[in-house]
Amino acid sequence: GRDHWSGVFSAVFAGAGVRGGQFIGESDAQAGYPLTRGWYPADLGATIYSALGIPPASQVIDRFGRPHQLNAGEVIAPLYS
């Protein structure tokens, strides 16, 4: 696992309008810390929701009638450019 270097991780995206063959971001020589803008797990979720046509900021109501924002992340726009 990466529990001791949790600041950098990899993910693979394909389809849904993602431009293939690219790397987004850069880490230090030990792959311990990002050198460029960091993306977070919530951003991965927002990107997936958006690709599915679901606005990440959608509000969902739980069984007790309480509103919750579906996702607070930001779509990883460089995947599509």
Side-chain angles (χ1 to χ4, degrees), residues 13-20 22 24 39 43-53 74-81:
F13 281 84
V18 170
R19 193 186 70 168
Q22 62 179 332
I24 298 171
W39 299 98
D43 300 326
L44 294 176
T47 302
I48 292 167
Y49 282 128
S50 180
L52 292 170
E74 178 183 329
V75 173
I76 305 172
L79 286 172
Y80 301 98
S81 59

Side-chain angles (χ1 to χ4, degrees), residues 3-71:
D3 57 316
H4 60 288
W5 291 110
S6 60
V8 176
F9 60 92
S10 300
V12 176
F13 281 84
V18 170
R19 193 186 70 168
Q22 62 179 332
F23 291 88
I24 298 171
E26 186 178 355
S27 69
D28 64 6
Q30 290 78 34
Y33 301 97
L35 292 178
T36 58
R37 186 212 190 284
W39 299 98
Y40 300 94
D43 300 326
L44 294 176
T47 302
I48 292 167
Y49 282 128
S50 180
L52 292 170
I54 303 168
S58 295
Q59 188 179 74
V60 293
I61 307 298
D62 70 13
R63 64 184 180 150
F64 300 108
R66 298 176 297 196
H68 300 277
Q69 184 175 347
L70 183 61
N71 185 283

